Each structure stands twice: as C-alpha cells, then as structure tokens.
Amino acid sequence: MPDSKRRKARASAPANQLWGGRYAAGPAAVMTAINASIDVDRRLWREDIQGSLAHVAMLARQGIVRPADAARITRGLKKVAAEIEVGRFAFSTALEDIHMNVEARLAELIGKPAGRLHTARSRNDQVATDLALWLRAACARADAMIRELQRALVAQAEAHAGTIMPGYTHLQPAQPVTFGHHMLAYVEMLGRDRGRFADAARRGNRSPLGAAALAGTSFPIDRHATAKALGFDGPTDNSLDSVASRDFGLEFLAACSICSTHLSRLAEELVIWTNPLFGFVSLSDAFTTGSSIMPQKRNPDAAELVRGKAGATLGAFVRLTMILKGLPLTYGKDMQDDKPAIFEAADAIELSLAAMAGMIADMKANPARMRAAAGGGFSTATDLADWLVRAAGLPFREAHHVTGRLVRLAEERGCDLPDLPLAAMRAIDKRITKDVLGVLGVDNSVRSRRSHGGTAPASVLRAARAARRKWL
Ligand code: ARG
C-alpha cells in the first residue's frame, strides 16, 4: 500500500479486545505501527511473567482473587513462558506490547479467569516493574563482564610489571612507566565503573508494582509481599513517582556511557600501539581482520568498534534524558521509547566488554619496542631535574632551567640525555657530578618512582596483587 493510502487507511481490525470496550472501530494501520512496542519489549517476557506470578500469588493471599482462579492463572502463565522459551509463541503487533500479548494468550489458554490477573495493577506499574527487574540483571551481567576484563588486565600487569614503556601526556613522551602500571590504570577505572553499576542496581531495586495506573488502588494489596517475592528491597513509596520515573534507567545508561568511554580510550590505545610506527603490542588473529585488497593488513576492527560503540551508549543516555525532560507527571507514552535506548546500550556495553576482554587476554606485548621508545624524547629529564634538587641542592625551578639547557644540548648533538659526556654537562652547570649518570637511564627512573600509586615495578606487582584481592 502506498504511504498516503496507508496513512488514511482504517484497519478492518476489530477494537482492541483488552481495552476496546468504548471503541466502535479498530486503529488505523499507522496507529498500530506507531503504538506497538512488541518488537522491542518482547525482551521483557521473563520479567513480565515473573511479575505477574508474584502479583497473582499476592492477590490470592489477600483474598482478592479466589485460590482456584489464581492457580489456573499461575499454571497458564507458566505455560505461556514455556511457549515463549521454545519459540512457539506468536507475538502479535495488534496486541501492542508484551503485557497484552501475554495476557491475551493466557485468556486463550484458561479462558475467563485470565481477566482477573490485571486486578489492582496497570500496565504503567507493570512495565516499570519489568524494566527494573531487567535492569537489575543487566547490572549484574555488566559487573561480571567488567570483572573478566579486569582479570585479563591484571594478568598482563603481572606479566609486565617491569616492562618499560614511554608514559605520555599530550601523547608526547613524558616519563618512562611500566606497561603493567598502564594496564592497572584501566583496572582502577573499571573498578569505579563496577561501583556505578552497583549503585544503579541498588537505588533501582524498589518495586513499582501496585502503584497501579498512577494513584494506587482501592484493593487491599500487599506491595511489600510482591516486592519481596521479586527480590526488591521494598516497594517504592509514591505511586506517581513509581509510574513516572525512569531515573533508574538513566543511571544504568550513565554507567554504560562512562564505562564505554573508558573502553573507548583503551581501544584507541590499542589502535595506536598496534600501528607499526609504535609496534608496542600485537593483537591475535582472533581479534583482527584482514583486508580484501591489501594482503599485508591486520586491522584492529574490534578495537575500533568498541571505540565507536561509545556513541551508542551516550546516545542512549541522551535519548532517554530527552524523552523524560519536560514530561509532566505521570506516565506518558513517550516513555515507551525508553526501551530501545536501554536495550541498545546494554547490548553495546556487553559486546564491547566481551571484545575488549578477548583482545586484552590475547594481546602480546613487545617489550623491546616499548623500551626503545621509552628512552626517546628525553623522557628522563624530570629525573635529572629531581637529582639536581636532591643531590646538588638547587631549587626545583632552577633545576628545571638547567635541565632544559641540557636537553637542548642533547638535541643539538642529536643524542639522548644518558649519552651526554659529563664534561659537556658540567660546562652548563658545575654542580653536576658523575653521580648524575645513575638517574639518566629509564630503569633507574622507573625503579625510583616508589611513591604510593607510582610506577616502580615492585609497586606495580604489589598493586596487581591488591587488585586481585579487591576485584577478582
Ligand atoms: N508498552 C508500554 C510501555 O512500554 C506499556 C505501558 C502502557 N501504558 C499505557 N497506559 N498505555 O511504556
């Protein structure tokens, strides 16, 4: 059908069987198209049925539904779950969403008593409950996957606690560090990411179920009981807030976005380090791809895609924020679009974490290349300045100036700092003695950085052990 026709078409479908009492006719085809969310929210089927099971058990206990009906509903819901599980469930767009798809099938299976399930609840509290349950599990999955990545990073850190590489600021050689230290920097960031997912899960772990449409219900329900049955810490305390709020989703998306940002930085470093000009690491065959035209190629596609997926997670955060911004209380159908954002971000973060864990676990470092680069760019200039302060008693600013002149001298001679003859150094400042030679090499430089959180190999090993205890 051409678009113009479709827009005007009135569906020949009858009015909705679940809410169509006041309707004489069914929706326009385009109404169904814009209204239906089943293609997206079918992912909530487990949570939806879990919520319904807890709800009907409570209705029976409270004497709101007869035990025999509750038993029929319970058996029916389990049958529906089994059908969906094995892929023998026909999802229907006409039935809009997962809630009505499940309920309509329940009615087919058990007949009239199915209609009692929706007593004292609404799709508004139902969908908020489903999503809260889903997000709690998503936070747990993210946590486990971040831990796997941390495990791979810590293993690399232990193997390379003493592997010297250039440390950068502005991507210019700054001071030598160890590769292990660099790996552990990401373990720290990821640890905080785990904290953010844990916070989101904890704050979001309240049950909206029983808030009903928006105002609560006149039935004598027990919201504490359903909350407990579903593993929540308790019910939410304001019915309007319960159906209107999605900040539990926003917090999840914020955690995803920040975590993706960290993964994207690591991904970018892999792209840089695998470039032959650096050659610091190589990725395995399993995590690189060739080119269909250039036989020599070995592209870090997975790293690039992880870098790109940061766009999906932050995009999802912005999308949901924009949906909620300016939305009057309580529920608005705009909120149905929370789910594509949340699912896309969850998929992106999980795929990114899995790919990154694989890349890091397989990654081979090239210590010779790192070491060769580490001495370049006068990377021990700070050590020289520090020595002038410590051994020769200069104020740091003066030491900085003297070191600058030594760097220029080395630059003019086309050599590195450790290659300058002592006499040439003394010509610039008499206070320099042969003891300075001990601080100019990268090994001494790295070994001397024993301050808490510093890059000395012994400290890195200790930090790796501490990270194991704390995170793995
Ligand atoms: N599919 C809806 C959503 O995801 C469920 C809630 C619908 N509520 C309503 N009153 N139409 O938001």
Side-chain angles (χ1 to χ4, degrees):
M1 193 183 326
D3 269 3
S4 58
K5 272 245 187 82
R6 194 179 114 177
R7 231 172 289 130
K8 288 187 215 111
R10 294 289 176 272
S12 51
N16 187 292
Q17 51 175 302
L18 295 174
W19 50 250
R22 81 189 303 288
Y23 279 75
V30 74
M31 179 62 209
T32 300
I34 195 172
N35 200 34
S37 57
I38 187 62
D39 286 344
V40 173
D41 61 26
R42 53 195 284 179
R43 280 179 74 161
L44 293 174
W45 70 266
R46 277 177 212 283
E47 291 76 15
D48 195 71
I49 291 176
Q50 193 189 351
S52 290
L53 287 170
H55 184 65
V56 75
M58 179 277 292
L59 292 177
R61 265 197 315 275
Q62 298 298 108
I64 302 167
V65 165
R66 285 205 315 273
D69 285 341
R72 271 185 217 110
I73 291 171
T74 300
R75 269 198 307 278
L77 284 169
K78 287 182 177 163
K79 181 115 200 286
V80 175
E83 288 179 359
I84 300 177
E85 178 90 64
V86 299
R88 255 199 293 103
F89 186 96
F91 289 101
S92 150
T93 309
L95 289 165
E96 283 183 39
D97 56 25
I98 186 61
H99 324 296
M100 298 212 292
N101 268 267
V102 169
E103 196 184 320
R105 179 65 185 141
L106 181 68
E108 280 173 12
L109 289 170
I110 69 167
K112 270 226 154 25
R116 300 194 182 277
L117 170 60
H118 213 53
T119 313
R121 80 171 183 191
S122 147
R123 278 187 292 157
N124 295 350
D125 58 336
Q126 195 180 352
V127 72
T129 305
D130 292 3
L131 199 54
L133 288 171
W134 194 91
L135 281 169
R136 187 172 73 198
C139 287
R141 285 197 302 275
D143 183 74
M145 297 184 82
I146 297 175
R147 186 202 284 128
E148 279 315 298
L149 175 53
Q150 286 180 309
R151 199 185 297 286
L153 287 162
V154 169
Q156 291 283 3
E158 285 167 343
H160 294 288
T163 299
I164 293 173
M165 74 177 288
Y168 298 96
T169 61
H170 314 265
L171 195 54
Q172 303 293 318
Q175 294 172 354
V177 297
T178 71
F179 190 56
H181 199 47
H182 201 115
M183 295 292 101
L184 291 182
Y186 284 103
V187 172
E188 293 294 315
M189 296 179 223
L190 292 165
R192 292 192 295 275
D193 288 333
R194 286 176 69 182
R196 276 179 276 273
F197 279 109
D199 280 350
R202 184 177 47 75
R203 234 187 320 279
N205 201 33
R206 292 293 210 89
S207 173
L209 191 60
L214 76 166
T217 175
S218 57
F219 289 98
I221 60 171
D222 182 351
R223 293 192 58 208
H224 290 86
T226 45
K228 186 153 183 247
L230 294 170
F232 288 113
D233 294 326
T236 50
D237 292 326
N238 179 294
S239 63
L240 304 177
D241 169 52
S242 308
V243 297
S245 296
R246 290 293 182 272
D247 49 290
F248 58 98
L250 281 180
E251 284 200 46
F252 172 76
L253 293 177
C256 288
S257 301
I258 296 172
C259 182
S260 294
T261 304
H262 292 150
L263 296 181
S264 178
R265 293 181 78 164
L266 178 52
E268 170 64 4
E269 301 217 270
L270 291 178
V271 170
I272 293 172
W273 293 342
T274 53
N275 182 292
L277 289 174
F278 279 75
F280 289 179
V281 305
S282 54
L283 299 173
S284 69
D285 289 356
F287 286 98
T288 48
T289 59
S291 155
S292 52
I293 177 168
M294 298 164 284
Q296 85 286 9
K297 288 281 262 183
R298 208 177 151 74
N299 294 328
D301 296 43
E304 296 167 274
L305 285 159
V306 168
R307 194 173 56 187
K309 293 219 182 287
T313 52
L314 181 58
F317 176 82
V318 173
R319 178 176 178 177
L320 183 53
T321 307
M322 293 314 293
I323 287 171
L324 295 171
K325 173 198 168 301
L327 199 63
L329 300 192
T330 56
Y331 178 85
K333 196 65 176 257
D334 329 33
M335 290 167 71
Q336 176 164 284
D337 269 343
D338 57 357
K339 284 172 282 300
I342 285 170
F343 293 154
E344 189 190 10
D347 291 344
I349 199 72
E350 288 177 26
L351 207 44
S352 299
L353 284 165
M356 192 54 92
M359 279 188 280
I360 297 295
D362 284 12
M363 174 178 75
K364 291 263 174 302
N366 185 337
R369 288 296 299 258
M370 290 191 206
R371 191 185 172 85
F378 313 108
S379 67
T380 54
T382 317
D383 299 273
L384 174 51
D386 286 351
W387 180 87
L388 287 168
V389 171
R390 219 172 31 239
L394 277 67
F396 183 78
R397 280 291 156 226
E398 197 185 336
H400 186 287
H401 189 77
V402 170
T403 305
R405 293 183 59 199
L406 290 164
V407 165
R408 190 165 53 187
L409 180 66
E411 209 162 31
E412 280 160 13
R413 290 179 164 226
C415 69
D416 281 329
L417 281 176
D419 308 325
L420 281 177
L422 186 59
M425 295 174 94
R426 284 176 56 86
I428 285 179
D429 196 299
K430 275 250 131 24
R431 289 166 289 188
I432 298 174
T433 68
K434 68 171 178 4
D435 291 350
V436 77
L437 302 176
V439 302
L440 295 179
V442 290
D443 297 281
N444 289 322
S445 167
V446 160
R447 215 178 304 134
S448 71
R449 292 200 156 44
R450 281 188 223 106
S451 54
H452 179 81
T455 196
S459 309
V460 171
L461 263 188
R462 224 176 305 119
R465 247 177 275 128
R468 250 186 209 293
R469 277 195 303 276
K470 185 164 179 197
W471 297 117
L472 305 185

